[in-house]
Amino acid sequence: MNTGQWLGLITGVLFGFLLQKGRVLRFDKQVGAMLLQDMTIFKFMLSAILLGMVGILLLSNLEIITLSHKPMNVGAVLFGGALFGAGWAIMGFCPGTSLGALGEGRWHAVFAIIGMVAGAALYAELYPFLKLTVLAWKDFGKLGLPEAIGISQWVIVPIFWVGIIALFFWFEKKKL
Amino acid sequence: MKWKTDDGGWSPYLAGALLGLLAIASVLATTQFLGKTSYLGASTTFVRAAGILERTIIADHVASNKYYTETKVRVDWQFMLVMGIVLGALISSIMDKSFRLESIPPTWEERFGPSIGKRAIGAFAGGVIAMVGARLADGCPSGHGLSGMMQLSVSSLVALVMFFGVGVLVAHMVYGRRTP
């Protein structure tokens, strides 16, 4: 294995370890969030975002790393996002957690994994058609929120922190 | 707030915060060792896996397919990251004895009964739909939800709202409104 593969493997092991420790891999946690009964996956995800965003935006300001926004292609993000949401609810896993669920013994995740590999193959066939239709509607390109609304990221980040922490208190109060 | 859950897991706030630190360490490490900043993600690996499998049967087709060519079908950093998730979850669940062989998730069984066939069809169909969506949106809850949000990407904000909004709607239709 080359350096990239080793680095990926080590990072993945730590990622999987934390996903499992946070108890976010389970079907019931994922569907529980969508049924608005158990916010464990949001507590986990938003905590990661709060810390990660400060470090990543700072490192990018210092020009140590480069940001890599995914394109704001309107049709793609709206349509794709909706399809993903529907599939996620039925399958009860997202791509990353399906593999983790398999690791903690929830072997029924293999059906979801096979489905997702099939979905990827299907997408590869649909791609030329989508490129001429949905993907061709309107693309704002790689866009960050600070540039989009003209407000510094160091104003947005504190607002984000306050909002999310308030949400955490609400989750705890409501025992979600 | 408790640091441990009743079944020996960690508080999701703690585990999540550590994941935030891992995400920062990971962008630094990929920039340093691979010469290009890479962000945590998972769904592109499914395209590569599909390409690798298809290549064993119809190699010419994969070679001429535009999407496979653009994605570059190979076992790369992210591919091994996704494999690592399986291993990491296995290690963690064995360490705290939460490893369980489960054939039907409880919430599913409550609604659709104990048939493994039904669950297999549901999971497969959901998987196909979700992956077409994730590739169209160019990311999943890892790529958009974690990495994109950490960078304050507009597309990730919109994608996350769509993921969860439609997820809530469909989950209520599929599993019904149950009292907790």
Side-chain angles (χ1 to χ4, degrees):
Chain A
M1 290 209 306
N2 62 34
T3 317
Q5 291 169 333
W6 275 112
L7 188 60
L9 184 66
I10 296 164
T11 313
V13 168
L14 295 170
F15 191 6
F17 188 90
L18 292 174
L19 286 166
Q20 207 280 334
K21 281 280 175 269
R23 298 293 190 258
V24 295
L25 295 171
R26 299 190 190 150
F27 176 97
D28 300 275
K29 294 285 181 187
Q30 309 245 337
V31 171
M34 288 180 266
L35 290 173
L36 306 173
Q37 291 167 351
D38 181 342
M39 288 297 147
T40 307
I41 66 169
F42 277 96
K43 295 175 189 175
F44 178 85
M45 200 167 159
L46 293 168
S47 300
I49 293 170
L50 286 188
L51 283 193
M53 82 177 1
V54 175
I56 283 172
L57 294 175
L58 193 66
L59 288 170
S60 132
N61 260 19
L62 297 170
E63 294 180 4
I64 295 171
I65 60 158
T66 47
L67 293 186
S68 157
H69 296 297
K70 291 171 185 298
M72 182 54 223
N73 183 314
V74 178
V77 174
L78 290 180
F79 249 144
L83 278 177
F84 181 85
W88 182 26
I90 301 166
M91 147 170 79
F93 294 114
C94 57
T97 52
S98 67
L99 274 304
L102 190 64
E104 62 167 1
R106 277 66 181 176
W107 67 267
H108 54 84
V110 277
F111 304 124
I113 295 166
I114 297 169
M116 285 189 282
V117 173
L122 175 63
Y123 186 78
E125 302 309 316
L126 294 175
Y127 185 63
F129 167 74
L130 293 168
K131 192 114 180 148
L132 295 172
T133 51
V134 184
L135 288 163
W137 292 345
K138 174 77 194 151
D139 191 351
F140 289 99
K142 297 171 185 276
L143 189 61
L145 187 63
E147 302 89 77
I149 58 174
I151 294 174
S152 158
Q153 59 194 23
W154 300 120
V155 175
I156 300 175
V157 171
I159 296 173
F160 205 83
W161 267 75
V162 171
I164 298 299
I165 289 175
L167 189 67
F168 286 164
F169 274 98
W170 186 76
F171 286 163
E172 295 308 315
K173 197 174 148 224
K174 293 276 172 188
K175 294 192 171 27
L176 285 167
Chain B
M1 198 176 79
K2 291 185 297 183
W3 293 109
K4 282 216 164 189
T5 59
D6 298 335
D7 64 344
W10 297 351
S11 152
Y13 298 112
L14 173 65
L18 291 171
L19 176 60
L21 298 180
L22 177 67
I24 299 170
S26 173
V27 292
L28 276 173
T30 51
T31 311
Q32 177 72 33
F33 295 113
L34 310 180
K36 183 180 175 292
T37 312
S38 300
Y39 289 87
L40 300 179
S43 62
T44 317
T45 292
F46 286 82
V47 179
R48 301 205 169 101
I52 290 168
L53 290 174
E54 261 185 69
R55 208 157 50 184
T56 60
I57 316 163
I58 34 170
D60 294 348
H61 181 73
V62 174
S64 63
N65 181 290
K66 200 164 176 316
Y67 194 62
Y68 284 136
T69 328
E70 283 179 19
T71 312
K72 299 193 186 74
V73 177
R74 60 192 156 90
V75 176
D76 68 340
W77 172 82
Q78 196 204 74
F79 199 103
M80 292 312 294
L81 176 108
V82 172
M83 296 299 115
I85 294 176
V86 185
L87 196 59
L90 176 69
I91 295 169
S92 167
S93 64
I94 287 177
M95 274 171 56
D96 64 17
K97 299 187 176 65
S98 58
F99 183 92
R100 296 278 179 287
L101 283 176
E102 181 186 273
S103 47
I104 299 267
T107 311
W108 179 278
E109 191 172 356
E110 245 174 72
R111 175 70 179 81
F112 296 104
S115 157
I116 295 178
K118 256 192 207 171
R119 171 61 194 147
I121 294 166
F124 180 86
V128 172
I129 299 167
M131 189 50 67
V132 170
R135 290 331 305 153
L136 190 54
D138 200 14
C140 60
S142 298
H144 268 311
L146 292 171
S147 302
M149 289 300 291
M150 288 177 190
Q151 302 174 61
L152 290 175
S153 304
V154 173
S155 59
S156 300
L157 266 168
V158 179
L160 204 59
V161 169
M162 292 305 293
F163 290 170
F164 192 61
V166 176
V168 166
L169 213 69
V170 174
H172 280 90
M173 291 188 319
V174 174
Y175 306 102
R177 256 174 232 278
R178 299 171 313 135
T179 43

